């Protein structure tokens, strides 16, 4: 349970970092486009557990 909670937090951090980087290169991304990226990211990573490096 705790692994899942931590994994979900890491996944959220990764997604937020990806969007921040994309906004630097594509500042005119619409909320609709961001939502599509979010859906794709979360559906593509739903079966994975994320861990921080060195753990």
């Amino acid at each position: 349970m705790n692994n899942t909670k931590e994994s979900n937090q890491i996944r959220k951090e990764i997604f937020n970092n990806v969007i921040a980087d994309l906004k630097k290169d594509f500042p005119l991304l619409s909320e609709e486009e961001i939502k599509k990226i979010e859906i794709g990211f979360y559906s593509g990573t739903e079966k994975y557990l994320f861990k921080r490096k060195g753990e």
Side-chain angles (χ1 to χ4, degrees):
M1 173 79 175
N2 194 23
N3 288 341
T4 301
K5 185 176 180 179
E6 182 177 1
S7 177
N8 288 338
Q9 179 60 37
I10 294 167
R11 183 179 285 115
K12 183 177 180 179
E13 291 172 16
I14 292 169
F15 175 75
N16 289 336
N17 290 338
V18 166
I19 292 300
D21 286 346
L22 280 173
K23 284 184 175 181
K24 289 177 189 175
D25 292 333
F26 304 99
L28 300 178
L29 275 176
S30 71
E31 288 301 314
E32 182 180 330
E33 291 169 320
I34 292 170
K35 190 65 177 170
K36 287 179 182 179
I37 295 167
E38 181 179 21
I39 290 168
F41 176 80
Y42 280 98
S43 68
T45 61
E46 67 186 341
K47 295 182 181 179
Y48 295 93
L49 281 177
F50 287 79
K51 291 172 58 175
R52 299 197 189 280
K53 283 186 176 181
E55 287 187 8

